[in-house]
Each structure stands twice: as C-alpha cells, then as structure tokens.
Amino acid sequence: MSDLQHELQQTAALRETRRHFLHTCSTGLGAMALGSILSSCGFLGRRDEAANVAGAALQSGEPMAPQAAQYLPKAKRVIYIHMAGSPSQLELFDYKPELVKYHGKDCPQELLEGKKFAFIRGVPKMLGPQGKFAQHGQSGAWVSDYLPHLQGVVDDITFVKAMHTDQFNHAPAQLLMHTGSARLGRPSLGSWVTYGLGTENDNLPGFIVLASGGKQPDAGKSIWGSGFLPTVYQGVQCRTDGDPVLYVSDPSGMNRDIRKQTIDAISEINQQQYEDVKDPEILTRIAQYELAFRMQMSVPDAMDIKGEPQYILDSYGVDPNQGSFARNCLLARRLVERGVRFVQLFDWGWDTHGTSADGAIEIGLRKKCQESDQAVAALLKDLKQRGLLDDTLVVWGGEFGRTPMQENRDGQVLPFMGRDHHLEAFTVWMAGGGVKRGFAYGETDDIGYYGVKDKVHVHDLQATILHLLGFDHTKLTYQFQGRPFRLTDVAGKIVKPLLA
C-alpha cells in the first residue's frame, strides 16, 4: 500500500509542472506568462498576413494545409539541386580566356594580401580553365565540354555568374545558402516554403530530400531542418534503396485496420494533451502520425520508377534497380508531379582540391559531370514537355566558388589540379518558375576572381526565390525569442532582372 501511495504522490507532483502552474494560476499572472512564452516560441504574435495564414493553419491542427501566397506566384514548387562541395565555375560556365595566359605563373600578391583561404598558403600558381568552352543555343551561353547535355538546354536557363557569399568553409557556407545563417538553428529554405504555402498533397510530405554521392553534406541534416519552426515543416529524407522511409511500414502481424485504430487512439491522447498545455509541437506530432499512416500507400508508389516508360529511363540514364543521382532527378519530377512543394537534391563529391584523382578538376570533376549532366538536362526537358517547367523553379549550384589559382598546401604543389574554396565569385543557374530563359546575369573580372557587375549575394538569391513563390521575403516571418525572424535575416533584395 505504501508503494501505491508513493506512486500516486509522484504522479501528482509530475503534473504540477511550471507550465501547468502558470496555466492554472488564478491571479491572471499564469495566463500572461504563458502567452509570453508561447509568443516567444512563435505560437502567437505573427506580424504579417502571410505568417498569420500559416499560423492559423498550424493552430487549426492542419499545419500543412495549402495556403495562399501574399501575391500571385510565378512558381508553385521548387526543385533545388545542390552539388555539395561546390563545382568549379571556371571549368563549367565562367569562360575566362585571359586566365589561360597566366597558367603556371605565380599568383599576383594583390590577390593574396588580406585574403583568407581554406588551404592555400604562400604563393600559388595560376591555373587556366581545363574545359573547352563554346557558345550554345540562341542565347549564346558559354558552357564547357564537361556538360555536353546541358549545352542543349541552355535556352531554358538563367545563369547568375557573379554570386558571392560570406563563408569559405563547407558547413557554414551550406548553412548560409540553405538557412540564411552560418550558425545552426535556423529553418531551411524548404521549411520556410512549406510553412508559408503548405502542400498540395495530403499523402506526401511537403518537403522531401534525396541525397546521393555516398555521403551527407558537410552541414548535415540541419540544412533541411526546420530550426525553430514546428518540426512538421522539416524536410523528410527518402532513401532510393529499400524502404523509402524507415519504419513507415506496418510491423509484422499488424494489418492496416489495426494500425489505423492505433493512430486514432494516439491522436486522441495527443489532442487531449494539447487542449491541456497548448504546445504547438503536439499538433506537429498528431499531423506526423497521421501523415506517416497515409505515406504507407503514397510513398512506395511515388518512389517506384519501374512503371516509367523505357525511353524516360534512358533519357535520364537511370538503372531502375540502382540508387543514383540520375534516379533522384527522375524521382524529383515524379514528386513535384504529385504535388510535393519542395524537393531538395544533394549530391556529394564536388570538392576538387587536387589532393587525389577523385578530387581533381581534370579527373574527378569530369567524372561527377558525367554522372549528373544527362540527368539534369533530362529533368528540364521532362518538366517542360509535361507543362511543369512554367511553374516549377529549378535551382542548381554549390555553396561557393573555386579560386583561379591552383591550390597548394603549405607551399607544396599538389599531385593533381585543384582549386581552393572561393567566396568572391561563383555561378548558380535557375530555370522555369518565372525566371528569364536563355539569359546570363552578372560578370566577373578577366580571371574570374571578383564579381565586377551585377553581383548577387546568397540572401539576394533567397529573396528572389521567395518572390517567385509569391512572398515578400521581409514579411514571411516567425516570432522567436522575442523578435521576428526571416530567411534573409536583415538583408537580401529581389534580383528583378532575373524575372521573366
């Protein structure tokens, strides 16, 4: 009996939490304090119409319900292709014939003084472009022989050639590119998009991530995380081999009817807890349980490419029995076709320092281009022929650029050709979804070191993407820790010349 009495006392004590006390405090102090806490966590106090709509959806128990943008969007969905490690723009898109003249010569001191590099020390040699460039399409876009398939679709692409960033190491640069901050804890671009717009398919996550290349990006899963937004908005990583999502299948011996009864019972308990404490994460939990149940049917269908016509598989260069970047490109088309709002592709292995053959711009970079070029071009053609490219924004790029100098380590020349990280200039391209076609914006100097015309910062790119989706980036905010946060922090401007 004493044990039972002790257990009852423990249970009663556990219920008397700080939140419970504040919630039930008869003086009114509790309600005021609870309101302040919830406001600082982003549950109350939205500052603008876009956030109010998303906030209402969150509180209604349907956080992923489709929401209207602030104004008529040109893009309804995004496929963001990130080449983790950062491909060399000087081998692919930014043609610099003047750099050939300096090949093998010592780097001028004015390019080194006051500069920080990830690895270069001492005086490196200049390195001329290794690709053979030519103009292609009616637009006359310069593309090298590293990307023969992309050469055929340049008239659907806008190249942004004077991108620049604040970070020269992979993890912080990837965080800045995808969350707007080099520090951990901020929501990713895909999370902001699903927070603002919801999803068009109740049976699939609104934000799906597909990774290839054998490793995760250096910044890890934080670059598709939801940060301080409710976790319902984080990216869901799907596998391309085996079960697309681990543990989503029914356990052995449990049929679908029993599973549904279990989900309903769990949701009822969670709803009762929400009514008691009003924690928005409980709504996320309810939504995720119910989504997981629906995903049991929808995800295997969406991820099964064996029903695709052979000519489609051939156009992407896909082996239906093997996971690959090409397979992920085809899956991206299938997912946006089914209403997924944001599809993020990460492909690891684009870091070309010259320390090995795989990391050499004359060997490893060519290999990575061969693995991806056909699939990316096929994706653009496939979206276009299905009428999806007009309102699907495709973005391609890395986290920074590569130097026009050959990398050295402690003054020693490396065994292969490589380039160090470079934050002053790199190239990103976009297609579809309201951007101009067959257009190049921005210029770098004669050797590709500095942007000299129409420079675009990472925050400007983010602001432009949100604009194309129908949002003013300064007004898509979330109240957290006493102030409104946004993707672009306190910077960013829309790059209007890119807009169709």
Side-chain angles (χ1 to χ4, degrees):
M1 178 64 76
S2 61
D3 290 341
L4 179 59
Q5 190 173 19
H6 177 69
E7 184 178 345
L8 287 172
Q9 289 172 344
Q10 248 190 334
T11 303
L14 286 171
R15 286 192 57 82
E16 291 300 327
T17 61
R18 180 170 55 184
R19 178 181 284 147
H20 181 75
F21 169 74
L22 292 171
H23 184 58
T24 56
C25 181
S26 60
T27 64
L29 175 64
M32 291 169 60
L34 184 62
S36 174
I37 291 168
L38 293 177
S39 176
S40 68
C41 293
F43 186 65
L44 302 170
R46 304 293 202 270
R47 284 174 55 107
D48 52 77
E49 183 179 353
N52 275 327
V53 172
L58 179 65
Q59 295 180 48
S60 72
E62 298 181 8
M64 295 300 292
Q67 307 299 327
Q70 292 171 308
Y71 47 82
L72 186 64
K74 294 185 177 181
K76 294 181 179 178
R77 61 197 77 86
V78 176
I79 298 174
Y80 196 125
I81 305 170
H82 184 97
M83 303 321 211
S86 295
S88 170
Q89 75 282 4
L90 296 168
E91 268 62 54
L92 304 182
F93 307 116
D94 202 11
Y95 180 43
K96 296 299 171 187
E98 285 293 312
L99 190 56
V100 177
K101 300 176 183 179
Y102 295 100
H103 180 77
K105 296 182 179 180
D106 286 348
C107 179
Q109 280 298 319
E110 58 264 28
L111 301 182
L112 303 173
E113 292 174 356
K115 301 295 182 183
K116 291 182 179 180
F117 300 98
F119 295 100
I120 285 177
R121 301 292 183 270
V123 180
K125 303 291 185 182
M126 301 300 290
L127 178 59
Q130 300 303 298
K132 295 180 180 179
F133 281 83
Q135 290 180 284
H136 298 277
Q138 294 183 353
S139 61
W142 289 97
V143 180
S144 84
D145 61 342
Y146 278 51
L147 299 170
H149 293 277
L150 199 73
Q151 293 171 355
V153 293
V154 292
D155 286 338
D156 289 316
I157 289 174
T158 277
F159 293 94
V160 187
K161 292 194 171 183
M163 286 290 304
H164 64 107
T165 181
D166 305 332
Q167 302 295 324
F168 62 78
N169 284 323
H170 293 293
Q174 290 168 3
L175 285 167
L176 180 63
M177 180 63 74
H178 293 285
T179 74
S181 172
R183 297 181 178 182
L184 295 168
R186 298 289 184 88
S188 61
L189 173 58
S191 295
W192 280 111
V193 171
T194 51
Y195 166 67
L197 292 176
T199 185
E200 295 177 321
N201 189 330
D202 291 340
N203 299 322
L204 288 169
F207 177 15
I208 289 181
V209 178
L210 302 169
S212 57
K215 293 184 180 180
Q216 299 282 9
D218 295 78
K221 298 183 179 181
S222 297
I223 48 178
W224 61 82
S226 58
F228 47 70
L229 289 176
T231 50
V232 69
Y233 300 115
Q234 71 183 2
V236 174
Q237 185 176 6
C238 289
R239 305 189 310 161
T240 52
D241 288 320
D243 287 341
V245 180
L246 292 175
Y247 312 119
V248 78
S249 302
D250 288 330
S252 178
M254 176 177 284
N255 61 37
R256 192 160 176 81
D257 290 338
I258 295 175
R259 183 62 167 247
K260 183 65 171 71
Q261 292 173 13
T262 303
I263 297 298
D264 288 344
I266 293 171
S267 295
E268 185 177 348
I269 294 169
N270 282 329
Q271 186 64 40
Q272 290 174 1
Q273 187 180 15
Y274 173 72
E275 294 299 329
D276 186 29
V277 300
K278 300 297 184 184
D279 183 348
E281 278 300 303
I282 297 173
L283 295 179
T284 291
R285 192 186 311 157
I286 294 171
Q288 295 294 60
Y289 269 114
E290 294 176 349
L291 174 61
F293 178 73
R294 298 192 299 270
M295 283 168 58
Q296 289 181 311
M297 302 292 287
S298 58
V299 169
D301 172 68
M303 303 293 284
D304 183 6
I305 65 170
K306 292 182 179 178
E308 291 283 344
Q310 188 62 43
Y311 79 91
I312 290 290
L313 298 176
D314 292 342
S315 69
Y316 282 84
V318 169
D319 179 349
N321 298 309
Q322 183 178 351
S324 64
F325 173 79
R327 182 189 181 99
N328 288 353
C329 285
L330 177 53
L331 289 173
R333 188 270 289 165
R334 290 176 61 85
L335 291 169
V336 298
E337 198 173 34
R338 286 162 170 77
V340 175
R341 186 72 70 183
F342 200 102
V343 180
Q344 181 81 64
L345 271 58
F346 287 101
D347 187 53
W348 185 87
W350 293 82
D351 195 20
T352 48
H353 288 282
T355 55
S356 65
D358 284 343
I361 58 174
E362 75 274 30
I363 302 172
L365 180 59
R366 279 195 180 274
K367 181 180 177 183
K368 292 301 294 184
C369 288
Q370 289 168 359
E371 292 173 357
S372 63
D373 176 41
Q374 178 180 345
V376 171
L379 173 62
L380 294 184
K381 292 176 182 177
D382 201 4
L383 291 170
K384 188 174 182 179
Q385 73 180 6
R386 293 169 188 270
L388 288 169
L389 189 59
D390 287 341
D391 55 8
T392 301
L393 179 64
V394 181
V395 184
W396 183 102
E399 58 264 31
F400 42 58
R402 316 301 298 202
T403 59
M405 303 87 79
Q406 181 168 357
E407 184 173 324
N408 60 14
R409 298 281 175 98
D410 296 322
Q412 300 298 313
V413 178
L414 295 175
F416 298 93
M417 293 184 185
R419 301 185 187 275
D420 203 353
H421 308 166
H422 191 53
L423 52 79
E424 299 284 356
F426 63 105
T427 299
V428 165
W429 63 254
M430 298 189 287
V435 298
K436 289 178 179 176
R437 297 183 177 184
F439 182 62
Y441 183 76
E443 294 179 15
T444 57
D445 60 25
D446 288 344
I447 61 171
Y449 193 94
Y450 291 108
V452 295
K453 181 181 178 182
D454 298 328
K455 296 172 66 174
V456 176
H457 188 267
V458 168
H459 286 135
D460 302 333
L461 178 68
Q462 294 162 345
T464 304
I465 291 171
L466 290 182
H467 173 80
L468 290 166
L469 290 162
F471 287 104
D472 179 341
H473 70 104
T474 67
K475 294 183 179 179
L476 182 62
T477 62
Y478 192 84
Q479 197 78 8
F480 178 68
Q481 291 184 340
R483 77 169 179 93
F485 281 80
R486 68 185 206 225
L487 172 64
T488 52
D489 196 27
V490 295
K493 62 182 184 297
I494 299 166
V495 188
K496 293 183 179 179
L498 302 180
L499 309 180

